[in-house]
Amino acid sequence: MKFFLPRDMAAVALGADAVAAALTAEAARRGLAVELVRTGSRGMFWLEPMLEVATQAGRVAYGPLTVADVPGVLDAVATGAAHARALGPVDDIAWLARQTRLTFARCGIVDPLSAEDYAAHGGGRGLDRALALGPAATVAEVTASGLRGRGGAGFPTGIKWKTVADAADAQKYIVANADEGDSGTYADRMLMEGDPFCLIEGMAIAGIAVGATQGYIYSRSEYPFANATMRAAIAAARRAAMLGPDVRGSGIAFELELRVGAGAYVCGEETALLESLEGKRGQVRAKPPLPAHQGLFGRPTVINNVVSLASVPFIMAEGAAVYRDYGMGRSRGTMPIQLAGNLKHAGLFETAFGVTLGELVEDIGGGTMSGRPVRAVQVGGPLGAYFPPSLFDTPFDYEAFAARDGLIGHGGVVVFDDTVDMRHQARFALEFCAAESCGKCTPCRLGAVRGVEVIDRIAAGENRGGNLVLLRDLCETMKFGSLCALGGFTPYPVLSALNHFPDDFQAPALPAAAE
Amino acid sequence: MPSYEPWSAARAETIIAAGKDAPGALLPLLHDLQHVFGCIPDAAVPMLAAALNLSRAEIHGVVSFYHDFRSHPPGRHILKLCRAEACQAVGGEAVARHALARLGIDWHGTTPDGAMTVEPVYCLGLCACGPSAMLDEAPLARLDAARVDALVETVR
Ligand SMILES: Cc1cc2nc3c(=O)[nH]c(=O)nc-3n(C[C@H](O)[C@H](O)[C@H](O)COP(=O)(O)O)c2cc1C
Ligand code: SF4
Ligand code: FES
């Protein structure tokens, strides 16, 4: 019998390792020969730990499981009997069936460290096509796909690659930004844990396309599972000639190394990340020069988000047009949207751009877990705006969110119910900015600290009107006087809280906060 | 449970020698040292400076920039509680307050018996099943006050 159970960090947090141990022990007790493959997660976290069993009719699932469920599930599998936790054929689970899984097509299905499994599920075809097409046509293909950066800024990936391809230098670099620090996001983590070869393949394609022979993945210390899997996958990819001195017998070299950050949010900003990779303080660099001209160690560097890079193998394998045909407006292809916070059905939902925020929260997310009304949704991480339900018609699209003073960022959607205090959330945004500021510019370094003080005065009822004006002024200063988006975008959550939830700034302070 | 080695200049020298020639070697070396000693001991700073051809002030600047690096060894267990928004949305702040009160310490503090250090963390990527935490190497999801109490009992 063949079983599949995630090794994903969230699934393990929910008890997957204990279920795996119980399954192995119970099978041994019954004298059953079982094979247990530890996969990534399908991304339906309210069903984790979710066990899958291979049957003649495809995989069937059971979840969420506890250790106590294991004997009953084994009985049900053996006899075909019903089980309270039976979910039926995985492919028929509506939440999965509604998705368009291009980038996450293999995540949760394959053994993350098996190069054979990867190839059997279509892996490697993008790299082969890139090698056959050559650098210029590969860059053109990525450009034609309409792929834009999934790290937040939404810059066209092909254009970035072209700049680096055109730069004349003997040494160029590919850097994967895996410093996924935004609250509410976990797509990079899931991909690195569930389909690490996909990122490796995307980076190798980038290397071939721009003429870079060395890559770095900059991950975070908060992701020990992803880092362990990624390291093992790099070693396996070398053995499978997806990396190394002679990638797939092409004579082209591409080497890859994983580096781990040290708990600084600002190191997700691309130039701070490069400083950190060089072994320095993660301080933001002034642009120009662009990393594409002078990046890591002063050399031309492609720096892309994990999901951007992991989208490339599909684009190269299936062709730019197939990818570009999904989406809306200037947002082409799919986005792995990460539903988080107070939601009944929180998880990773990859879909074409254009789905509305309301569909994501109410329909796909199933509304709040607490059963209380939704009050605010923060999209795009700690620098993203808080939207009220009256903006639920906003389609998931770079421009549509920007038009409403928001951003989609890395695709995190964090839902709050009606117990949320938006003054408190605005204060948190400024406090976070103050704590994480790299210190290079005054509006960010000092403005955020001032902002926290002003909110505290508003809470204490001190000259509310005047202090509210001051808070807006501070936000304007930070917006226009900051070097990077940490200081520049922290006003988004603050101003959205002020604009959409003004009552929360008039209320007296809660007793705990007033002390 | 992580176990740390007492300071040994010879051990530090070996670690530094093994990693110093990689490009951008300082961060990986700091991780290696903290992994072994539980913190970045002051005595390691001049050794790093000499090996990497940097000033002590530069090394200090890097160590102090990053939240991860400690100047003192932690307790026998480290509990990292997520304080970021998705966990706030499901009651993470109350769970954190409960944990700190129960242990009688503040953020970054260590219990007097040396059993546990509590550190804040801003997102563990477990945002679909918060409030989240890590106890040493183990990720934890859907924490509540009762589970925190049980955790505290197991490490005591
Ligand atoms: C404070 C701050 C944090 C950021 N964090 C990340 C991050 O964790 N991951 C990421 O890919 N991009 C992050 N970015 C965006 C990067 O600067 C950059 O735009 C991105 O890595 C480019 O890759 P892409 O074009 O593939 O999106 C951050 C930006 C700022 C200002
Ligand atoms: S805005 Fe803040 S984080 Fe960005 S460069 Fe300025 S001080 Fe550094
Ligand atoms: S916000 Fe707590 S794990 Fe992401």
Side-chain angles (χ1 to χ4, degrees):
Chain A
M1 252 187 277
K2 192 167 181 179
F3 291 94
F4 305 85
L5 185 72
R7 52 193 276 164
D8 174 279
M9 183 164 146
V12 171
L14 291 163
D17 282 354
V19 170
L23 182 77
T24 311
E26 181 65 19
R29 205 181 61 77
R30 297 183 184 195
L32 291 172
V34 301
E35 185 191 349
L36 177 60
V37 181
R38 299 299 298 270
T39 60
S41 172
R42 301 268 194 169
M44 299 179 288
F45 291 105
W46 72 100
L47 297 178
E48 294 287 4
M50 187 174 95
L51 181 72
E52 298 179 24
V53 189
T55 73
Q56 233 120 60
R59 294 190 194 175
V60 298
Y62 297 83
L65 295 188
T66 63
V67 167
D69 292 320
V70 167
V73 167
L74 278 178
D75 292 343
V77 169
T79 63
H83 190 278
R85 298 272 180 239
L87 299 164
V90 185
D91 291 339
D92 295 347
I93 297 175
W95 211 83
L96 269 181
R98 287 176 73 175
Q99 299 187 41
T100 303
R101 287 216 165 182
L102 310 184
T103 306
F104 279 76
R106 280 176 297 266
C107 189
I109 297 174
V110 295
D111 176 346
L113 292 176
S114 161
E116 297 74 40
D117 221 6
Y118 186 66
H121 287 82
R125 290 192 296 125
L127 180 56
D128 289 337
R129 180 146 174 270
L131 285 167
L133 285 178
T138 298
V139 173
E141 192 79 1
V142 172
T143 306
S145 76
L147 177 67
R148 294 166 70 182
R150 303 297 192 232
F155 189 82
T157 303
I159 293 177
K160 190 182 280 189
W161 288 21
K162 176 88 166 60
T163 311
V164 177
D166 288 347
D169 203 312
Q171 182 67 61
K172 302 178 190 179
Y173 296 103
I174 309 296
V175 175
N177 188 341
D179 196 41
E180 193 170 54
D182 288 0
S183 168
T185 69
Y186 45 82
D188 299 352
R189 178 185 69 67
M190 276 183 64
L191 191 103
M192 289 191 286
E193 293 178 13
D195 193 14
F197 294 129
C198 184
L199 173 59
I200 294 172
E201 185 181 351
M203 292 183 75
I205 293 170
I208 289 157
V210 307
T213 51
Q214 176 69 45
Y216 289 96
I217 298 170
Y218 185 92
S219 182
R220 38 196 319 254
S221 58
E222 293 87 344
Y223 281 4
F225 284 47
N227 297 341
T229 303
M230 214 57 242
R231 283 203 177 95
I234 289 171
R238 216 169 266 141
R239 288 193 296 274
M242 207 190 297
L243 292 174
D246 184 16
V247 173
R248 280 175 120 81
S250 65
I252 298 172
F254 189 70
E255 296 289 350
L256 189 52
E257 191 183 326
L258 179 87
R259 290 287 176 93
V260 180
Y265 176 73
V266 73
C267 286
E269 196 283 335
E270 56 187 10
T271 62
L273 187 155
L274 296 174
E275 290 285 300
S276 184
L277 265 181
E278 292 180 8
K280 303 177 192 154
R281 297 160 65 89
Q283 242 172 355
V284 173
R285 297 177 185 167
K287 284 187 262 191
L290 292 172
H293 292 127
Q294 288 175 40
L296 187 62
F297 303 114
R299 306 303 187 123
T301 301
V302 166
I303 174 162
N304 272 130
N305 173 254
V306 167
V307 174
S308 312
L309 290 162
S311 301
V312 169
F314 176 90
I315 291 166
M316 292 311 298
E318 304 301 326
V322 178
Y323 192 77
R324 190 186 49 217
D325 283 349
Y326 293 100
M328 70 172 275
R330 291 176 50 221
S331 306
R332 309 313 315 173
T334 60
M335 183 77 185
I337 297 169
Q338 301 127 80
L339 302 175
N342 198 333
L343 271 184
K344 211 172 280 162
H345 299 154
L348 182 128
F349 195 91
E350 182 176 349
T351 189
F353 285 96
V355 59
T356 67
L357 185 56
E359 282 175 81
L360 288 169
V361 172
E362 302 286 7
D363 180 16
I364 296 160
T368 64
M369 191 173 56
S370 61
R372 304 184 64 99
V374 174
R375 179 135 188 270
V377 183
Q378 187 178 31
V379 181
L383 308 176
Y386 285 96
F387 276 16
S390 59
L391 296 181
F392 273 7
D393 62 340
T394 316
F396 214 85
D397 162 73
Y398 293 96
E399 280 68 40
F401 267 76
R404 291 180 162 182
D405 292 323
L407 49 101
I408 63 171
H410 183 48
V413 174
V414 177
V415 177
F416 292 78
D417 71 13
D418 63 350
T419 59
V420 69
D421 171 0
M422 294 306 297
R423 183 178 61 208
H424 184 71
Q425 298 310 119
R427 186 187 191 278
F428 176 80
L430 289 159
E431 200 183 13
F432 185 73
C433 177
E436 300 298 324
S437 169
C438 84
K440 190 144 180 165
C441 42
T442 322
C444 166
R445 193 181 69 236
L446 298 182
V449 177
R450 279 300 302 284
V452 173
E453 295 164 5
V454 173
I455 292 192
D456 285 345
R457 270 185 253 132
I458 293 169
E462 252 176 68
N463 182 15
R464 256 197 199 127
N467 276 314
L468 282 168
V469 173
L470 184 57
L471 184 58
R472 282 183 186 276
D473 283 352
L474 261 176
C475 283
E476 291 305 305
T477 308
M478 288 177 71
K479 247 187 184 174
F480 298 107
S482 297
L483 186 59
C484 87
L486 181 51
F489 286 16
T490 291
Y492 278 96
V494 179
L495 290 172
S496 61
L498 277 169
N499 292 334
H500 300 306
F501 307 92
D503 292 352
D504 289 22
F505 292 81
Q506 298 301 333
L510 297 169
E515 276 164 18
Chain B
M1 182 170 105
S3 68
Y4 304 114
E5 298 176 22
W7 169 251
S8 148
R11 181 84 162 96
E13 199 56 61
T14 312
I15 294 167
I16 293 170
K20 75 178 176 57
D21 293 326
L26 183 52
L27 237 66
L29 283 179
L30 291 172
H31 277 303
D32 291 347
L33 289 167
Q34 181 153 301
H35 184 72
V36 169
F37 300 116
C39 65
I40 309 298
D42 284 342
V45 172
M47 297 169 71
L48 284 164
L52 299 175
N53 214 0
L54 295 167
S55 70
R56 291 179 192 199
E58 283 171 302
I59 307 285
H60 267 300
V62 172
V63 173
S64 61
F65 183 86
Y66 295 97
H67 301 300
D68 277 5
F69 299 126
R70 299 182 203 97
S71 50
H72 298 287
R76 291 190 296 281
H77 298 277
I78 301 173
L79 180 64
K80 294 184 179 172
L81 292 168
C82 177
R83 299 189 74 187
E85 291 91 335
C87 287
Q88 293 169 11
V90 286
E93 289 179 296
V95 169
R97 266 198 307 276
H98 176 85
L100 293 172
R102 166 86 206 217
L103 293 163
I105 53 176
D106 203 348
W107 294 110
H108 303 286
T110 300
T111 52
D113 62 358
M116 184 120 89
T117 298
V118 177
E119 295 180 343
V121 61
Y122 292 89
C123 194
L124 291 160
L126 309 176
C127 330
C129 47
S132 308
M134 291 280 288
L135 178 63
D136 302 324
E137 299 296 304
L140 306 169
R142 297 202 184 117
L143 279 186
D144 55 22
R147 280 199 58 210
V148 166
D149 290 346
L151 282 178
V152 170
E153 285 312 313
T154 58
V155 303
R156 277 256 154 97

